[in-house]
Amino acid sequence: MATLSLIIGLLAGTQSSCAIASTPTPVVLWHGMGDNCCLPFSMGKIKSTIKDMYPGIFVHSIEMGGNIALDEVGGFFGNMNQQVESACKQLAAIPELANGFNAVGFSQGGQLMRAYVERCNTPRVKQLITFGGQHMGISDIPGCIGTSVILCKQMAELLGRGAYLPGVRNVSIQAQYFKDPMAQQDYLARNIFLP
């Protein structure tokens, strides 16, 4: 709940600076590992709280794969570069975002949203807020808790086989930002996402 209050506070600062505007600046959310766009107790709750705080605001929560089940799987398996490319197309097709938006990324979603800003940024992000984004990578396997324990354990098994192996690196989302501090040159040579 503290994170949600912080988000609302940050958005309030950006919204109040636009007090003359007839509608608040839209918000785009991108979830982290083990979540999906729309769970009513996580991203759905954040979306509804923002809408309650700012009547008339447009809030979009990025969904990959066409449904919430595939969106959750996509938090563990897939290609982050393809996900960013898909988000670029998804957001460009939403008319409510044409004049820009504020972006909020949670954990892995923060990295993905950062890549959106660096690669396409159309429509334009006015303010990027990330919470717990691993912008310098991870050097250990994330813990497996929450609603996606089976998917998480499968991801951990893949990482244990070798995060820098192409067969693992190209399939496991977490391997795409795994950064072994004892193998910096391997990371630089084999990294396929953000350096």
Side-chain angles (χ1 to χ4, degrees), residues 45-153:
K45 177 68 173 171
I46 292 169
K47 182 177 178 177
S48 65
T49 301
I50 293 170
K51 290 177 117 182
D52 289 346
M53 296 287 296
Y54 301 101
I57 194 169
F58 178 81
V59 182
H60 176 75
S61 189
I62 292 176
E63 177 185 307
M64 291 287 132
N67 63 55
I68 60 173
L70 290 176
D71 187 35
E72 193 164 331
V73 170
F76 294 100
F77 302 103
N79 183 292
M80 293 179 86
N81 294 310
Q82 292 170 356
Q83 288 186 4
V84 171
E85 185 178 320
S86 177
C88 291
K89 292 175 185 170
Q90 183 182 136
L91 300 180
I94 300 173
E96 292 87 349
L97 303 177
N99 294 321
F101 60 92
N102 292 323
V104 183
F106 297 87
S107 190
Q108 182 172 288
Q111 288 171 280
L112 289 160
M113 194 58 85
R114 171 186 159 204
Y116 169 89
V117 169
E118 292 178 354
R119 295 179 185 182
C120 63
N121 206 27
T122 303
R124 184 177 66 83
V125 170
K126 295 182 177 190
Q127 182 170 328
L128 172 61
I129 303 167
T130 69
F131 289 95
Q134 307 81 8
H135 297 289
M136 292 297 291
I138 58 169
S139 61
D140 198 3
I141 298 170
C144 295
I145 58 171
T147 62
S148 305
V149 173
I150 293 171
L151 289 172
C152 186
K153 287 183 179 181

Side-chain angles (χ1 to χ4, degrees), residues 145-195:
I145 58 171
T147 62
S148 305
V149 173
I150 293 171
L151 289 172
C152 186
K153 287 183 179 181
Q154 290 171 341
M155 172 275 301
E157 184 179 328
L158 274 176
L159 280 180
R161 293 175 189 226
Y164 297 138
L165 296 173
V168 174
R169 189 71 162 196
N170 296 332
V171 173
S172 168
I173 294 290
Q174 289 68 32
Q176 293 164 42
Y177 56 89
F178 184 82
K179 189 175 188 180
D180 184 344
M182 305 308 288
Q184 184 72 12
Q185 292 307 312
D186 285 341
Y187 171 77
L188 293 172
R190 295 183 176 100
N191 179 44
I192 64 168
F193 191 56
L194 296 174

